[in-house]
Amino acid sequence: MRMLKVLTLASAMALSAGLAHADSTVRFWYHFDNADNPMDALVEKFEAANPGITVEAENVPWNSYYDQLYTSIIGGNAPDAAMVKMFALPRLAEMGALEPLDAMLESWDGTANLQDNLLELTKGPDGKHYYLPVQYVVLYLYYRTDMFEELGLSVPKTCDEFREAAKALTRDTDGDGQIDTYGFGMRGGKGGHDHWATFTLSREGVTLEEGLDSEAGVAGTQYVVDLFRQDEVFPPSAPNDGFQEIIGAFKAGKTAMTIHHIGSANGMVEALGDKVSAAPVPECGGGRWTGFGDESTAILSSAEDKEAAWKWISFLSSEGNNTTFNEATGQLPVVKADSENWSLHPQRFVKATVDSLPFAELLPNVPETSDFVNTVWPVSMQRALTGEITAEEMNAEISELFAK
Amino acid sequence: MSDLTVLAGPSRPRRNLAREIMPYAMLTPAVLVTLAIVFLPMVQTAWMSLHEYVLFRPNDFVWVGLENFKAALQDEVFWISLRHTIIWMATTIPAQLLLGLITALLLNQDFPWRPVARALIIIPWALPSVVIALMWVWIYDSNYGVANEFLLRLGLIQRAVPWLADPDTALAAIILTLTWQGFPFFAVMILAGLQSIPRSYYEAASIDGASAWRQFWHITLPGISGVMMTAVLLRMIWVANSFDVIFVMTGGGPGYATYTLPLYAFVKARTNLDFGYGSALAVLFTMLLMVVVLFYLRRTRKAMD
């Protein structure tokens, strides 16, 4: 085992020694699924301003991003800096893979320009800062204004109203006996925990770590299951649907509502124009819950030249550059000045985001969250949706994971 | 050197010695490479399976003995996955074999454009698994897929079926995909076998008045049985280990409806980063597959003799 590690390390070092031509090289991993990738322009601008530092930015596909990141760390071939999300922080911290940024943040004049509270939200479990925010989003409810108008519906503010609206919107529009539009596009596959959480974790006294197996917690899951099995307001493919499917179905008019964030807003407007708008998610069981979608950058503790790595990641979270970065991802800038001049999204989506911020939350900052997101939630939700297990059993499985 | 010469005697035995060592010397690099890239990881996997080893806690490499295996045998998902693996292999391979046999018999007939037909038939086999998986995901799609459209128009179903999202149909849908992907392999192998049967056998048989069915049963089948057997054994090992199509099409879902053992081991090791448990699953599965491998080795040895 150790022998192998030494060998991997040695070959990695030999490789990087062969590649190093400038004084310092920052290997940076990120994940963009847009064809329109501004990274080359950013790298060029950075290198012109910082002679002697070369940035090797590598776009790693999202589906295997964390698998690759974790294995590269263990294999001793980690990048110097990487784009990271909050759910990975506890694990990365436990692996000792992250470099604390506190000293650098303190001496950096860009710190004060960041949006309020973002650094607070992205703090590590031990109170230190390992993450530098680079973009953020908040999930909200997308709805079809034309369909709501046609049926005389108003935007649902509570779970009950949501259910009624979803039922009314599920209909056969061309009279061939087939349902053409479903009320809600539920993401039942990987990454859909935010949908479920909106209906479940909003309830009083219910969090992932506590009260999930209480009556209120089970009622939340039951609500989701009933929408699918009894009311049939989700498309039948809901248990397997991921991001592509729910967004595609909404754009195609197969669904009348779904939950996602501003990242998809421009695509929606391109497909539907004024027929799409957004509002904060409904209140369910006495409270509201929506997901805060974060994306930060971090320096790996194995980085050779940490100062150069910091220069690069702080460059991405600086005025102007942060706009360029977010123009491609379609999310919101973390720099105050960049937000003020933000004109890339129609105002109604920015408003829905800002209105949702007060009750936006992150998943718990513990190592189990990764398993919850990647396997436990998708598998148990799919089983509950297809009737293999009850809502109670699903919640029990999740409680068991967090009780460990 | 001189001592050695004296010991080894005059030049003749020395040449023999060189001749004896030569083959081993020439094989050594290949053996070393095989050891390094095949056996070392195997031994490492077996070693890891005896430990509690979670990747994001790299410093806790704790010896647990057979705990992981005990846990696997008590794990509901292990048995579900094993059941699916068996269903999967027991239906996919015979279906591929049958389809391949029919195709080979058809392609062995004389007809115009035969070379084109032969080239076309190989396409599913030549496409990368991921492409095939994505293609079939679209075919099965409940909103836009051609499968539903086709069946709806024929009046065979009343409303679109979510083939991959329904636990009752998901595994069958994937089996159909894999059958389609793998049958050209059998077709090509069997076709090669068919062409090695001398024409004169059939001529003699038809002079003796044997029906087409009897000719098939007594000449064709014995003629290709060796090829078929080898192909089935090879295919069993491949089918058992290939989980890429499932991974892309459903990721194992909905729920555990399309979990197979290699997929479960992969999910445990790669997604949950639980390498100890994942290795134990892989080792258990390897032991089950050993039976097939032994059969295969015995066959190849017989063929070599």
Side-chain angles (χ1 to χ4, degrees):
Chain A
M1 191 73 209
R2 191 172 299 151
M3 185 64 195
L4 199 77
K5 268 188 201 165
V6 171
L7 274 176
T8 332
L9 199 71
S11 53
M13 277 166 71
L15 207 71
S16 55
L19 287 172
H21 37 80
D23 305 357
S24 188
T25 303
V26 179
R27 286 177 60 226
F28 177 65
W29 280 14
Y30 66 103
H31 53 81
F32 276 4
D33 39 16
N34 312 54
D36 193 18
N37 189 336
M39 203 54 88
D40 289 342
L42 283 167
V43 168
E44 216 167 281
K45 187 178 169 194
F46 175 80
E47 285 178 349
N50 296 277
I53 304 178
T54 309
V55 176
E56 284 173 12
E58 193 183 337
N59 194 358
V60 178
W62 168 243
N63 276 342
S64 57
Y65 189 77
Y66 283 97
D67 299 344
Q68 298 219 34
L69 188 62
Y70 294 135
T71 33
S72 74
I73 292 167
I74 298 297
N77 193 25
D80 299 316
M83 210 163 135
V84 277
K85 278 181 187 283
M86 277 309 283
F87 81 84
L89 177 54
R91 276 195 175 171
L92 290 169
E94 196 163 342
M95 290 166 100
L98 297 173
E99 183 69 17
L101 305 177
D102 299 80
M104 301 166 185
L105 280 168
E106 238 166 74
S107 59
W108 182 47
D109 48 12
T111 308
N113 299 332
L114 297 178
Q115 295 270 28
D116 300 332
N117 211 25
L118 281 183
L119 280 174
E120 199 54 39
L121 274 166
T122 54
K123 237 178 5 197
D126 55 0
K128 283 188 192 164
H129 288 100
Y130 297 98
Y131 276 23
L132 176 62
V134 69
Q135 63 182 26
Y136 79 97
V137 286
V138 179
L139 281 96
Y140 52 59
L141 182 76
Y142 273 115
Y143 64 95
R144 284 287 297 263
T145 47
D146 55 335
M147 293 184 188
F148 271 71
E149 220 167 277
E150 189 191 334
L151 296 170
L153 297 166
S154 55
V155 183
K157 296 216 162 44
T158 65
C159 251
D160 291 334
E161 286 176 29
F162 177 83
R163 187 174 198 160
E164 289 316 309
K167 278 192 200 167
L169 288 159
T170 303
R171 62 211 166 109
D172 168 17
T173 49
D174 56 10
D176 65 351
Q178 304 282 325
I179 301 281
D180 300 296
T181 304
Y182 288 91
F184 182 72
M186 169 78 190
R187 187 167 173 176
K190 212 167 163 178
H193 52 274
D194 287 321
H195 285 193
W196 165 84
T198 286
F199 302 119
T200 307
L201 300 185
S202 53
R203 289 164 202 261
E204 258 173 80
V206 182
T207 65
L208 281 179
E209 289 157 304
E210 256 171 68
L212 203 55
D213 34 20
S214 70
E215 207 175 302
V218 174
T221 303
Q222 191 63 50
Y223 175 80
V224 178
V225 172
D226 286 348
L227 283 177
F228 183 57
R229 296 186 66 81
Q230 266 181 26
D231 307 337
E232 300 185 5
V233 299
F234 304 163
S237 56
N240 268 8
D241 282 351
F243 165 75
Q244 297 288 357
E245 286 84 6
I246 58 153
I247 300 297
F250 187 82
K251 282 185 187 167
K254 282 270 172 192
T255 54
M257 296 186 280
T258 194
I259 293 177
H260 197 243
H261 53 68
I262 204 159
S264 50
N266 287 343
M268 297 274 195
V269 171
E270 212 171 279
L272 300 166
D274 288 343
K275 293 181 201 158
V276 54
S277 190
V281 298
E283 176 194 307
C284 291
R288 279 201 282 186
W289 192 102
T290 198
F292 177 84
D294 63 296
E295 200 69 76
S296 303
T297 48
I299 299 177
L300 281 292
S301 52
S302 58
E304 264 176 56
D305 188 344
K306 289 173 180 122
E307 207 179 313
W310 167 256
K311 275 187 184 159
W312 164 243
I313 65 165
S314 59
F315 170 85
L316 294 177
S317 296
S318 304
E319 194 178 334
N321 307 326
N322 199 233
T323 298
T324 315
F325 189 90
N326 280 284
E327 273 170 10
T329 56
Q331 309 207 3
L332 292 175
V334 295
V335 181
K336 280 180 195 160
D338 286 12
S339 314
E340 276 159 23
N341 305 322
W342 194 247
S343 59
L344 251 101
H345 294 110
Q347 194 50 39
R348 56 189 190 276
F349 302 108
V350 180
K351 185 174 183 304
T353 302
V354 174
D355 290 349
S356 302
L357 257 175
F359 53 89
E361 280 188 57
L362 278 162
L363 296 176
N365 219 339
V366 292
E368 285 75 24
T369 301
S370 268
D371 278 347
F372 165 77
V373 168
N374 288 319
T375 47
V376 176
W377 184 82
V379 168
S380 57
M381 185 79 252
Q382 290 177 336
R383 297 183 88 196
L385 286 177
T386 55
E388 266 180 72
I389 56 171
T390 62
E392 209 166 358
E393 285 168 325
M394 168 170 174
N395 284 20
E397 263 177 49
I398 297 167
S399 306
E400 197 188 325
L401 172 76
F402 282 100
K404 269 180 196 167
Chain B
M1 189 65 198
S2 59
D3 285 24
L4 217 131
T5 324
V6 173
L7 275 174
S11 60
R12 221 172 61 105
R14 207 172 62 193
R15 219 178 34 235
N16 277 353
L17 189 70
R19 194 172 272 175
E20 263 172 39
I21 289 174
M22 191 58 112
Y24 293 103
M26 294 184 88
L27 277 174
T28 309
V31 171
L32 283 181
V33 169
T34 313
L35 279 177
I37 65 172
V38 179
F39 287 95
L40 199 68
M42 266 173 74
V43 172
Q44 211 183 352
T45 308
W47 181 241
M48 273 201 287
S49 71
L50 301 173
H51 291 81
E52 187 191 312
Y53 183 41
V54 179
L55 201 58
F56 61 89
R57 295 193 198 100
N59 301 325
D60 302 350
F61 191 64
V62 189
W63 171 268
V64 290
L66 294 174
E67 276 310 308
N68 282 328
F69 292 92
K70 224 191 271 172
L73 295 179
Q74 285 164 2
D75 180 356
E76 183 201 12
V77 187
F78 170 79
W79 294 107
I80 294 176
S81 308
L82 181 62
R83 200 176 69 228
H84 288 159
T85 311
I86 293 168
I87 296 176
W88 189 35
M89 288 173 69
T91 47
T92 313
I93 295 164
Q96 285 180 350
L97 175 65
L98 196 67
L99 211 58
L101 180 63
I102 295 170
T103 314
L105 288 172
L106 288 175
L107 286 178
N108 200 33
Q109 309 297 316
D110 269 324
F111 60 91
W113 297 89
R114 189 165 74 155
V116 179
R118 282 188 188 178
L120 285 179
I121 214 76
I122 206 81
I123 286 179
W125 177 247
L127 286 175
S129 299
V130 176
V131 175
I132 285 174
L134 290 175
M135 198 172 93
W136 281 81
V137 166
W138 275 109
I139 291 175
Y140 286 132
D141 190 283
S142 59
N143 292 327
Y144 320 100
V146 285
N148 279 312
E149 192 63 30
F150 187 67
L151 294 171
L152 277 171
R153 290 203 181 183
L154 283 181
L156 289 174
I157 50 173
Q158 296 314 311
R159 52 186 290 186
V161 179
W163 299 103
L164 294 172
D166 184 336
D168 297 331
T169 55
L171 190 65
I174 289 178
I175 287 174
L176 187 66
T177 305
L178 276 169
T179 305
W180 180 81
Q181 182 203 16
F183 87 90
F185 171 74
F186 281 100
V188 171
M189 293 282 277
I190 294 171
L191 189 58
L194 283 175
Q195 292 182 341
S196 67
I197 304 172
R199 282 244 157 251
S200 55
Y201 288 14
Y202 292 101
E203 282 156 16
S206 56
I207 290 168
D208 289 344
S211 65
W213 169 247
R214 288 187 73 88
Q215 288 184 23
F216 173 74
W217 192 251
H218 291 290
I219 303 172
T220 311
L221 219 48
I224 56 173
S225 66
V227 169
M228 262 165 50
M229 191 65 189
T230 309
V232 166
L233 286 174
L234 260 182
R235 199 74 196 121
M236 274 172 90
I237 300 168
W238 285 344
V239 166
N241 284 318
S242 87
F243 67 94
D244 40 6
V245 171
I246 305 184
F247 189 70
V248 175
M249 287 179 75
T250 62
Y256 298 117
T258 51
Y259 262 61
T260 58
L261 270 182
L263 181 83
Y264 187 39
F266 178 82
V267 167
K268 272 286 166 198
R270 191 88 168 133
T271 312
N272 292 4
L273 303 175
D274 190 343
F275 273 64
Y277 193 65
S279 306
L281 291 172
V283 168
L284 275 175
F285 185 55
T286 311
M287 293 195 308
L288 293 173
L289 259 192
M290 261 323 161
V291 184
V292 182
V293 175
L294 284 178
F295 264 111
Y296 178 69
L297 287 179
R298 267 175 63 183
R299 263 204 78 76
T300 41
R301 209 177 51 216
K302 231 188 266 173
M304 296 262 278
D305 292 343

